[in-house]
Amino acid sequence: MTIWLNNDEMKIMMNNRENIRNIGIIGRVDTGIKTLIDILLISNLINIKRGDVRSDKDFKEDLFNKTNTPLFFELKEQNNIINNIINNNNNNNNNNNNNNNNNNNNNNKNNNKYLVNVVLARNQIGIQNQISTFHLIDGLLVVVDCIESSLPQEKIIYQAIGERVKPILFLNKFDRFILELKLDSSEIYYSLQRSIERFNSIATCQKDDLLGDIEVSPENGTVGFGSSLYGWGFNLSTFARLYSLKFGISEQSLVKNLWGDNFYDLSSKKFSKLSIGSDGKPLKHSFIQFILEPIIRLTKAIMDNKKEELNKMLTSLGISLNGEEKKLKNLQLYKVIMVKFTHPISEFLLSSVVKLLPSPIEAQRYRVDNLYDGPLDDECATAIRNCDPNGPLMIFISSMIATKKLNLPYLAFGRIFSGSIQPGKKVRIICNTDYYGKINNNDNNNNNNNISYRDKTIKELFLLEGVMLGPTINNCSCGNIIGILGLENYIVKAGTITDSDLAHNIFSLKFSIISVVSVVIEPIQPPDLPKLIEALKKLVKIDSTAYFTNEETGELLLSGSDENHLESLIGELRNSIEKIKVSQPIVSFKETVTNESSIMGFSKSPNKLTRMFSSARPISEQLLYDIENGVISSKCDLLENEKLLKEQHGWDISEAKKIWTFGSSSPLESNLLVDSTKGVQYISEIKDPVVCAFRWVTKAGILCDEPLRGVRFDINDVILTGLSIRRGSGQIIPMTRRCLYASQLSASPTLQEPIFMIDINTSDKMHEKVLSILNKRGAKLWSESKSLNTFNIKAHIPVLKSFGLSQELYFSTLGNHPISTHFVFDHWKSMGIVCEDKFVTETVLEIRKRKGLKPEIPSLEDYMDRL
């Protein structure tokens, strides 16, 4: 059912920040998430009246994908246990000002009407794009198949918790327990318990005092059960209300006793923690006795067409059927009765969202230091923290979205964290990322014109209604999701919009999924090359984890997270330009070293007046982890870096103080340049050209022009001429580059290949077959677990050997046994020493041939000068 609101009604809802919820929905493709999303959109989608009212069939899709979908929900229940819990928590946290605001809201007739913005990733359920929405949302609905316990990828959950996004859990496909698998109540209970424990084991790994307790449990309402296929859902509170009148026990007490090791003793008529009753007989879990068994008996009566028994049960439950409903049978009748017995799934889920997930006012208090890249006491941070509509404008643009309208090629899609925006407003735009995936966090100097644009005009503001563009609006304040026209020339993927000259940018998301697979794209007809480049730029604008590179060889390289992602990108590209040629997938590698340089690198400047000695060594795994996760980096405080290097990594404090730079292996800084010289005069004068040469080297290593990772270069000694004119950049950069390459070659160089974690759900009949296929491809089993009739297999597999795996698994079953496979980048692994190990040497030669480099691997003599 479409909810029609006029402009004034929508404006009131958008200004009531306490009653806004910005949420995301994540889950695997096979969890029923798409059906669940469709039900929510059908039942509660908001449409704004535009003059003459159009019927649903007249709507045209303006966008290629759903983005923000505004849902209307009116909370009718006012007195239940979950409301009491939330109100108590809010009373403890709110200050006097917030209490005043709450009093004002209580007087507002719209206080029970909520605006729920469901922010959907591109392609709705694409794993690689779900992360891109995490800055925009405050809460997350995690959908899990309770039969297979199929959680989203662990890294997705980790990143959501790291972004301080609060989760609630919905265990879907509950109907299959009874209708399909015909399990008894004990098996169902323990299967549900396993699913909840698996999620909590992942989510609670990261403790965050500001975020608070994120462990989900049925007792506090953060776990729901149901079936998206048949449209019903419930939680413990649903049945607590039913039994509270019967037992004369408060709803609050019942909720606490309906899950876990709680049993009801019929003889003593009391709840107990003991599984043996006062009469010595074994007791059932209260969840089984009061929830599962009634559902099972009701389902069997419906499906076995036991009308007399069913009528008695419906009478006792107070469920009435109309004339048309009484004619229904089997699954149709089952759907109607279960919806009346529990809740319609859209009503249940939206009720849980508005009660349990935070508003922008509440969430931004504890999320500000995860969002803002500047001082946390400046005016912008304060405005974000307070969700202040009168503060400086701060908007985060998470992506650009393409439209089907020729006059509106792109819209910037983002969230307003503070202030308000109007068409015609002059703003400052900070571009956070480029086409190649480089993240410019903490590099937004106000005078840096390369990434900061001043006095740009906002053309138009749009509300987004799923795949349709809503009406233009004249003003939008903080807490809302918005589409902005006119920024496509300034923002590639993500950016910050502000009206403050003092503002720093809002952090870009650091994706746990790295693009490690590429293809070369070329037009069949050369005149189509400009059109292809524009199509690639458009594609990377709207896909958060896709990048393209125009190589020096003239190749156009399109990069994605895995083979399936690339296939999807290529399919979209062909919609813009059909006649293209696509290469076989290409894997990205990293160059590194395995030992300290056996011979110190030595090089002379072109004029022979300056000489340099350097060495290379591998960075320890722990230090590399800290650098790549931002614990130690050029963005951190120098004193804090020095302290961590000394105390946790055993560095000498004098070395820690003389780190010149962290290397740029975009977007990570995973290499180090250290000044280890002693008493060298004028050494500070050549720092800039040396750093420039170091970044050149780390961007393209000596083996095959792949980026370096995990290498520490030490400048051991430099002999400088006294004449500054004789030691300019033209002399220092070539000398440093040759010297560092010589150091790399003498430190047992190698390649690192990317490793996927593959997550497979398969039936017990195909278990052995899947393991056999993985073994043939060199995969290493990581974990294996069984839930009912489903096996979950996790294994590490080299990306190079993962191509075609999904198809092979599918054809091995002839399509009779569905196999769910998900790939996610996990780590880098060294392949062996070049020129000693055959496989890595052949790989280097193949890459050199593809890139058009000299066929032979460079030798140390090519870069080592003679004394």
Side-chain angles (χ1 to χ4, degrees):
M1 180 182 69
T2 299
I3 310 296
W4 289 96
L5 299 177
N6 60 40
N7 286 331
D8 291 338
E9 290 171 331
M10 190 64 182
K11 185 177 180 180
I12 290 172
M13 295 191 70
M14 292 174 68
N15 288 335
N16 189 2
R17 292 167 291 130
E18 285 280 4
N19 283 21
I20 294 174
R21 299 292 184 271
N22 297 315
I23 70 162
I25 304 177
I26 65 168
R28 295 193 181 208
V29 179
D30 53 359
T31 59
I33 182 176
K34 190 175 186 303
T35 304
L36 188 146
I37 291 173
D38 289 343
I39 290 174
L40 288 176
L41 303 196
I42 290 170
S43 59
N44 293 76
L45 178 64
I46 293 175
N47 271 294
I48 312 300
K49 295 177 182 177
R50 308 167 176 81
D52 57 329
V53 178
R54 299 177 295 177
S55 63
D56 287 350
K57 65 181 181 180
D58 293 330
F59 288 144
K60 294 182 179 179
E61 295 186 355
D62 301 317
L63 308 178
F64 287 96
N65 303 104
K66 295 184 180 73
T67 48
N68 177 58
T69 303
L71 304 180
F72 173 85
F73 181 70
E74 186 170 2
L75 187 62
K76 298 176 182 178
E77 299 170 328
Q78 296 298 329
N79 298 310
N80 62 59
I81 178 60
I82 304 301
N83 267 339
N84 292 335
I85 293 173
I86 299 304
N87 289 334
N88 289 336
N89 289 338
N90 287 339
N91 289 335
N92 292 333
N93 293 329
N94 289 342
N95 54 28
N96 291 332
N97 291 332
N98 293 326
N99 285 331
N100 291 333
N101 290 336
N102 287 337
N103 290 333
N104 292 333
N105 282 335
N106 287 331
N107 295 326
N108 191 328
K109 66 179 180 180
N110 295 288
N111 196 47
N112 64 334
K113 295 180 180 179
Y114 290 82
L115 173 62
V116 180
N117 290 311
V118 180
V119 182
L120 298 174
R122 192 174 115 83
N123 298 328
Q124 288 190 24
I125 47 180
I127 290 291
Q128 66 273 5
N129 287 289
Q130 289 175 346
I131 297 174
S132 66
T133 65
F134 287 170
H135 263 7
L136 307 184
I137 61 177
D138 303 315
L140 194 63
L141 174 61
V142 182
V143 183
V144 174
D145 182 340
C146 60
I147 306 294
E148 300 177 354
S149 298
S150 52
L151 295 170
Q153 291 286 354
E154 291 181 8
K155 286 191 174 183
I156 307 292
I157 300 174
Y158 287 146
Q159 187 139 3
I161 304 302
E163 289 288 326
R164 293 181 180 158
V165 176
K166 287 191 174 181
I168 58 175
L169 190 65
F170 181 68
L171 300 179
N172 199 15
K173 299 190 178 183
F174 193 98
D175 56 286
R176 289 185 60 205
F177 281 131
I178 308 165
L179 296 175
E180 182 181 329
L181 300 177
K182 303 187 185 304
L183 300 179
D184 64 40
S185 56
S186 295
E187 290 177 302
I188 296 173
Y189 173 76
Y190 288 116
S191 179
L192 295 171
Q193 192 177 54
R194 278 194 301 270
S195 297
I196 297 169
E197 289 174 351
R198 280 192 64 194
F199 178 82
N200 282 329
S201 67
I202 299 170
T204 56
C205 286
Q206 304 179 83
K207 292 185 178 180
D208 191 324
D209 293 335
L210 291 175
L211 184 59
D213 185 16
I214 54 171
E215 182 175 346
V216 299
S217 67
E219 297 101 308
N220 60 23
T222 51
V223 176
F225 313 88
S227 167
S228 61
L229 181 61
Y230 296 105
W232 55 269
F234 70 91
N235 57 16
L236 298 190
S237 190
T238 306
F239 286 85
R241 282 191 291 274
L242 182 67
Y243 290 114
S244 62
L245 296 175
K246 180 178 180 180
F247 290 105
I249 303 174
S250 70
E251 186 181 322
Q252 183 175 1
S253 298
L254 277 172
V255 165
K256 292 180 179 178
N257 285 292
L258 286 178
W259 184 260
D261 292 329
N262 291 296
F263 307 86
Y264 186 73
D265 190 346
L266 286 173
S267 54
S268 65
K269 295 186 178 181
K270 292 182 180 179
F271 284 98
S272 170
K273 293 288 184 182
L274 302 176
S275 60
I276 304 296
S278 56
D279 57 0
K281 294 181 180 179
L283 302 178
K284 297 177 181 179
H285 285 89
S286 54
F287 184 81
I288 293 175
Q289 185 175 351
F290 294 112
I291 297 178
L292 287 180
E293 289 188 346
I295 290 176
I296 292 172
R297 287 198 301 271
L298 185 61
T299 302
K300 287 184 177 179
I302 296 169
M303 300 309 294
D304 295 341
N305 201 24
K306 298 179 179 179
K307 293 186 178 180
E308 187 176 339
E309 181 181 346
L310 177 60
N311 289 332
K312 287 182 180 179
M313 295 180 70
L314 294 180
T315 302
S316 65
L317 293 171
I319 298 174
S320 60
L321 302 177
N322 60 35
E324 291 298 320
E325 291 169 343
K326 289 178 181 178
K327 297 177 183 179
L328 301 176
K329 293 183 179 180
N330 297 331
L331 292 178
Q332 291 179 322
L333 182 60
Y334 168 78
K335 179 178 180 179
V336 169
I337 291 176
M338 285 305 299
V339 167
K340 293 188 175 187
F341 182 39
T342 55
H343 300 288
I345 192 168
S346 58
E347 178 186 314
F348 166 70
L349 288 177
L350 290 177
S351 175
S352 299
V353 163
V354 302
K355 295 172 187 174
L356 298 168
L357 297 180
S359 67
I361 291 178
E362 180 186 349
Q364 288 179 205
R365 291 194 200 109
Y366 55 79
R367 292 191 68 200
V368 60
D369 54 341
N370 269 27
L371 295 168
Y372 188 58
D373 197 19
L376 295 177
D377 57 354
D378 71 8
E379 61 175 9
C380 297
T382 303
I384 293 174
R385 184 180 294 108
N386 297 329
C387 195
D388 184 2
N390 299 315
L393 177 67
M394 292 297 293
I395 303 177
F396 176 71
I397 301 299
S398 71
S399 63
M400 303 297 290
I401 55 177
T403 78
K404 297 181 179 180
K405 295 188 174 184
L406 296 178
N407 60 330
L408 300 174
Y410 296 101
L411 288 177
F413 176 56
R415 170 172 167 176
I416 308 173
F417 284 98
S418 68
S420 59
I421 188 171
Q422 307 84 29
K425 189 180 183 76
K426 295 286 186 181
V427 296
R428 175 168 158 249
I429 302 169
I430 305 168
C431 185
N432 291 10
T433 53
D434 59 21
Y435 289 107
Y436 315 110
K438 182 178 180 181
I439 296 177
N440 297 317
N441 282 341
N442 209 29
D443 193 26
N444 60 311
N445 190 313
N446 291 340
N447 297 320
N448 189 341
N449 294 322
N450 291 326
I451 59 173
S452 183
Y453 306 92
R454 295 177 179 275
D455 295 328
K456 301 304 175 184
T457 303
I458 299 298
K459 292 183 179 179
E460 289 186 273
L461 305 177
F462 286 89
L463 291 179
L464 302 173
E465 302 170 0
V467 291
M468 294 178 293
L469 280 178
T472 58
I473 54 177
N474 296 323
N475 184 70
C476 189
S477 61
C478 53
N480 289 288
I481 309 295
I482 196 74
I484 305 175
L485 178 65
L487 305 182
E488 62 272 12
N489 294 328
Y490 312 110
I491 296 177
V492 176
K493 288 179 178 291
T496 304
I497 300 174
T498 180
D499 59 4
S500 171
D501 289 335
L502 302 177
H504 293 248
N505 66 327
I506 294 175
F507 281 116
S508 282
L509 281 158
K510 293 183 178 179
F511 292 98
S512 59
I513 296 174
I514 299 175
S515 298
V516 292
V517 185
S518 306
V519 288
V520 176
I521 310 284
E522 56 181 300
I524 294 177
Q525 299 177 354
D528 288 338
L529 182 59
K531 184 179 178 182
L532 175 60
I533 293 175
E534 287 304 311
L536 284 168
K537 285 184 177 181
K538 178 179 178 179
L539 189 61
V540 239
K541 269 180 180 284
I542 62 178
D543 193 291
S544 303
T545 53
Y547 304 100
F548 93 90
T549 312
N550 198 337
E551 297 285 292
E552 293 180 0
T553 58
E555 292 179 327
L556 296 176
L557 221 58
L558 177 64
S559 302
S561 57
D562 58 41
E563 186 183 18
N564 296 331
H565 182 211
L566 273 180
E567 287 179 359
S568 172
L569 293 174
I570 292 166
E572 292 187 51
L573 191 61
R574 292 188 190 276
N575 292 332
S576 301
I577 176 168
E578 294 183 5
K579 297 181 178 180
I580 56 173
K581 184 179 179 182
V582 182
S583 73
Q584 292 297 314
I586 300 167
V587 178
S588 300
F589 293 88
K590 300 289 186 186
E591 295 186 28
T592 190
V593 297
T594 55
N595 297 304
E596 190 170 355
S597 296
S598 56
I599 302 173
M600 194 177 294
F602 169 70
S603 182
K604 299 176 184 178
S605 62
N607 62 13
K608 311 299 182 184
L609 297 178
T610 302
R611 302 180 180 191
M612 177 178 284
F613 298 85
S614 69
S615 60
R617 70 179 81 172
I619 297 174
S620 68
E621 286 297 324
Q622 184 58 46
L623 176 54
L624 189 56
Y625 177 86
D626 285 348
I627 293 173
E628 292 183 340
N629 286 276
V631 179
I632 298 174
S633 73
S634 58
K635 304 168 189 174
C636 300
D637 181 73
L638 294 178
L639 294 177
E640 187 65 25
N641 279 349
E642 293 166 10
K643 180 180 177 182
L644 291 173
L645 287 168
K646 179 183 177 182
E647 295 178 358
Q648 297 187 14
H649 301 285
W651 277 46
D652 186 270
I653 192 65
S654 61
E655 287 184 324
K657 287 178 177 292
K658 298 180 76 175
I659 294 177
W660 272 5
T661 187
F662 292 76
S664 54
S665 177
S666 182
L668 304 174
E669 297 181 331
S670 51
N671 304 286
L672 292 173
L673 178 64
V674 181
D675 172 20
S676 298
T677 62
K678 294 182 179 179
V680 176
Q681 201 171 13
Y682 311 123
I683 186 68
S684 61
E685 295 182 14
I686 67 167
K687 179 179 177 179
D688 287 345
V690 170
V691 167
C692 180
F694 167 76
R695 288 179 174 166
W696 189 353
V697 167
T698 56
K699 182 181 178 182
I702 189 62
L703 296 178
C704 50
D705 274 6
E706 292 289 319
L708 261 65
R709 176 180 180 270
V711 181
R712 168 183 166 177
F713 288 104
D714 288 85
I715 307 299
N716 299 109
D717 196 11
V718 183
I719 301 172
L720 294 168
T721 176
L723 297 173
S724 60
I725 197 172
R726 299 294 182 94
R727 43 184 161 84
S729 297
Q731 302 295 326
I732 301 301
I733 291 176
M735 174 191 69
T736 304
R737 182 167 173 261
R738 285 174 54 82
C739 194
L740 297 182
Y741 277 151
S743 301
Q744 181 188 350
L745 287 168
S746 65
S748 304
T750 185
L751 281 185
Q752 290 184 333
E753 64 175 336
I755 303 295
F756 276 152
M757 171 71 82
I758 181 172
D759 196 334
I760 302 174
N761 283 333
T762 184
S763 65
D764 52 359
K765 294 180 181 179
M766 295 304 302
H767 173 236
E768 295 298 329
K769 180 72 173 177
V770 170
L771 290 178
S772 174
I773 292 172
L774 291 176
N775 187 51
K776 289 178 182 178
R777 287 176 172 259
K780 292 188 177 181
L781 189 65
W782 176 256
S783 68
E784 192 177 12
S785 60
K786 184 179 180 181
S787 177
L788 301 178
N789 297 324
T790 302
F791 273 93
N792 177 259
I793 300 169
K794 292 182 180 178
H796 286 138
I797 184 170
V799 174
L800 202 59
K801 297 180 180 179
S802 69
F803 300 138
L805 177 58
S806 298
Q807 291 84 345
E808 184 178 357
L809 290 172
Y810 175 81
F811 288 120
S812 68
T813 68
L814 300 176
N816 296 324
H817 299 277
I819 296 179
S820 168
T821 58
H822 294 277
F823 298 91
V824 64
F825 171 80
D826 192 78
H827 66 278
W828 296 95
K829 179 185 176 184
S830 293
M831 300 174 66
I833 299 175
V834 175
C835 298
E836 294 183 14
D837 184 89
K838 182 180 178 182
F839 178 67
V840 67
T841 304
E842 289 177 348
T843 303
V844 169
L845 292 173
E846 287 177 8
I847 297 172
R848 293 185 67 85
K849 181 180 178 181
R850 176 176 60 81
K851 292 187 175 183
L853 304 174
K854 291 182 180 180
E856 64 276 0
I857 298 173
S859 64
L860 182 60
E861 289 75 19
D862 296 332
Y863 289 88
M864 180 78 81
D865 289 339
R866 294 185 179 182
L867 284 171

